[in-house]
């Protein structure tokens, strides 16, 4: 992972360990601006939770796209006292109940961790009897040694099946147990500092708090994280390294992003698909990305990226196809709901699945605002029909996997 970015007044961030990030229930979208009633510590927790919630949903609901790169997803975020700058450690300890053990920063609603009773501010002592490392609060240099080791141990144990976590909560010892879901392997880290950017390195994804603040909805954030997930799923860092690129970081914007325009365009396409399969409403995707590219100015039009107009055209096509996919997934959910009320129980689409993402509030594909942009891009009615058939088949596969 890239080195952590120093931040002020909170100088360093934790790895959002998505050794758990998506259950069957999703919290309501987080507002773009932090509540003025929250202090800076709770604002930090809210940002961590928002990133974890979106990443977990993307990871678990797209497991079918990465059968060879799956990892346990339990739905919680870890941090430790040694990750914070010395001047912030007292405040972090007081606000998050951090001591020598690795602590739970946030828990995703509906995830295996949340259903087990794991809660924010719990400290994890051991997993399946294996002691987790303790943080060295005396180390003056912020680091993530304890969190990194804890992550590795948790991932190993969760891959075996059910785990028992021994936790310390308000001075008392408790045990919680759960079996993690599986999803696409890609750790996600939130860093502070105000920079508006995100990047991937082949294994993980880093999202800045400045970019999170630009995301008015979780769907916007899903596009950002999905784009970086796509770089990792496509092994772009390895491809660039083999091609002699000086950097293995693939940034959403800026001169430090992909060394080939092709990798960015492929990540744009797959990122939209990931967000659509996770049932995010992408009707605001074009204005969001257009504003992001315009805000980046000339850097966004660097030789390493496709021209903004090209990126927006690719995005428009993907959003339209995603609207069709979401429409068919909604039909599957409706059929399943009818079956549960005593309707057609023999329908393949009526099987109940483990993760019902709830009603689809987006517009139907035919009336979708992106359709007016897409028609001249698609070009031929026959292509539209083929696209619809392919997306219907993909919806059938997703529903079958969920059942």
């Amino acid at each position: 992972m890239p080195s952590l970015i120093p931040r002020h007044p909170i100088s360093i961030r934790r790895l959002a360990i998505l050794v758990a990030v998506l259950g069957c229930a999703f919290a309501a979208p987080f507002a773009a601006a932090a509540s003025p009633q929250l202090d800076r510590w709770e604002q930090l927790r809210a940002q961590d939770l928002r990133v974890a919630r979106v990443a977990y949903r993307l990871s678990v609901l797209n497991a079918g796209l990465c059968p060879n790169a799956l990892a346990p997803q339990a739905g919680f975020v870890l941090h430790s006292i040694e990750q914070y700058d010395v001047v912030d450690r007292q405040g972090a300890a007081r606000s998050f109940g951090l001591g020598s053990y690795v602590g739970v920063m946030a828990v995703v609603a509906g995830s295996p961790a949340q259903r087990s009773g794991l809660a924010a501010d719990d400290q994890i002592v051991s997993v399946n009897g294996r002691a987790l490392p303790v943080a060295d609060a005396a180390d003056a240099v912020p680091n993530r040694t304890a969190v990194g080791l804890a992550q590795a141990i948790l991932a190993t144990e969760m891959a075996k099946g059910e785990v028992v976590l021994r936790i310390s909560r308000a001075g008392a010892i408790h045990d919680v147990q759960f079996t993690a879901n599986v999803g696409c392997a890609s750790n996600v880290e939130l860093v502070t500092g105000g920079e508006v950017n995100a990047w991937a390195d082949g294994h993980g994804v880093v999202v800045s708090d400045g970019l999170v603040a630009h995301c008015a909805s979780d769907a916007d954030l899903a596009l950002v994280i999905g784009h970086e997930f796509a770089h990792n799923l496509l092994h772009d860092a390895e491809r660039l390294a083999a091609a002699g690129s000086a950097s293995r970081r693939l940034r959403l914007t800026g001169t430090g992003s992909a060394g080939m325009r092709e990798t960015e365009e492929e990540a744009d396409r797959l990122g939209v698909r990931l967000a659509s399969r996770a049932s995010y409403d992408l009707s605001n995707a074009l204005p969001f990305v257009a504003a992001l590219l315009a805000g980046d100015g000339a850097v966004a039009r660097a030789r390493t990226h496709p021209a903004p107009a090209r990126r927006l055209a690719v995005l428009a096509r993907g959003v339209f196809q995603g609207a069709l996919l979401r429409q068919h997934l909604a039909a599957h959910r409706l059929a399943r709901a009818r079956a549960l009320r005593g309707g057609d129980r023999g329908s393949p689409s009526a099987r109940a699945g483990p993760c019902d993402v709830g009603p689809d509030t987006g517009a139907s594909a035919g009336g979708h605002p992106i359709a007016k942009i897409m028609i001249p891009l698609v070009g031929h009615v026959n292509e539209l029909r083929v696209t619809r058939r392919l997306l219907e088949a993909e919806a059938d596969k997703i529903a079958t996997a969920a059942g």
Side-chain angles (χ1 to χ4, degrees):
M1 295 292 289
S3 59
L4 297 179
I5 299 174
R7 308 191 296 173
H8 304 284
I10 299 174
S11 303
I12 198 162
R13 272 305 307 116
R14 301 139 308 290
L15 176 69
I17 296 187
L18 302 179
V19 289
V21 193
L22 182 71
C24 300
F26 306 124
F30 181 77
S35 169
Q37 282 74 41
L38 298 179
D39 66 19
R40 65 184 181 119
W41 301 104
E42 288 306 314
Q43 288 177 16
L44 189 58
R45 191 199 299 275
Q47 284 187 312
D48 259 332
L49 178 57
R50 187 186 183 196
V51 169
R53 180 174 67 235
V54 172
Y56 178 71
R57 179 167 170 170
L58 288 170
S59 175
V60 173
L61 289 187
N62 284 291
L65 293 183
C66 51
N68 299 319
L70 294 173
Q73 305 292 329
F76 59 95
V77 182
L78 295 182
H79 63 154
S80 70
I81 194 66
E82 66 186 2
Q83 287 183 272
Y84 294 88
D85 192 72
V86 173
V87 299
D88 288 319
R89 289 180 184 175
Q90 185 176 356
R94 181 178 60 254
S95 298
F96 302 135
L98 281 174
S100 58
Y101 294 113
V102 170
V104 177
M105 179 62 157
V107 181
V108 176
S111 67
Q114 188 269 334
R115 292 194 298 270
S116 75
L118 191 69
D121 296 343
D122 286 345
Q123 295 187 69
I124 304 179
V125 179
S126 65
V127 53
N128 290 346
R130 293 183 63 181
L132 294 190
V134 296
D136 182 7
D139 193 337
V141 180
N143 66 88
R144 55 178 302 275
T145 301
V147 166
L149 292 173
Q151 177 190 14
I153 294 172
L154 283 163
T156 297
E157 295 300 317
M158 289 192 298
K160 299 175 183 177
E162 185 177 70
V163 295
V164 177
L165 299 187
R166 176 148 292 181
I167 62 172
S168 173
R169 178 184 297 165
I173 298 297
H174 305 272
D175 286 344
V176 299
Q177 59 189 57
F178 58 81
T179 300
N181 288 328
V182 293
C184 299
S186 195
N187 293 327
V188 178
E189 181 181 354
L190 172 72
V191 294
T192 63
E195 180 184 14
V196 179
N197 217 333
W199 60 91
D201 69 349
H203 304 285
V205 171
V206 178
V207 184
S208 72
D209 62 342
L211 183 50
V212 172
H214 273 68
C215 297
S217 68
D218 279 4
D220 292 345
L221 186 56
L223 271 180
V224 171
I225 297 177
H227 177 93
E228 303 306 332
F229 264 21
H231 277 309
N232 289 340
L233 291 177
L234 294 169
H235 305 290
D236 285 341
E238 291 83 354
R239 290 166 58 191
L240 291 177
S245 172
S247 174
R248 292 173 62 90
R249 288 188 184 181
L250 294 133
R251 290 179 179 265
L252 179 69
T253 59
T255 55
S257 56
M260 298 184 296
R261 286 187 291 271
E262 291 83 356
T263 61
E264 289 299 324
E265 190 164 308
E266 290 170 359
D268 283 343
R269 289 196 185 97
L270 181 54
V272 173
R273 187 181 178 197
L274 294 173
S276 297
R277 284 173 58 96
S279 290
Y280 282 105
D281 180 358
L282 302 181
S283 57
N284 189 55
L286 282 177
F288 166 67
V289 174
L292 196 63
L293 294 176
D296 200 43
V299 177
R301 296 185 289 275
R303 290 186 302 109
T304 55
H305 286 73
R310 171 68 181 178
R311 296 189 77 175
L312 292 174
V314 169
L315 176 63
R317 187 186 189 96
V319 169
F320 181 68
Q321 293 174 348
L324 290 174
L325 178 60
R326 291 176 64 243
Q327 182 181 17
H328 296 310
L329 288 173
H332 278 283
R333 290 195 294 271
L334 179 59
R336 187 171 65 201
R338 287 174 175 170
L340 292 175
R341 293 196 300 267
D344 180 11
R345 296 180 182 275
S347 171
S349 61
R351 292 187 292 268
C355 289
D356 186 351
V357 298
D360 186 352
T361 58
S364 65
H368 199 282
I370 301 304
K372 296 179 180 179
I373 303 175
M374 275 305 307
I375 295 302
L377 292 174
V378 172
H380 297 89
V381 172
N382 285 340
E383 185 175 350
L384 258 180
R385 290 171 178 166
V386 170
T387 297
R388 184 181 292 274
R389 287 197 296 270
L390 291 174
L391 292 170
E392 285 174 346
E394 182 165 1
D396 288 338
K397 291 179 181 178
I398 295 173
T400 299

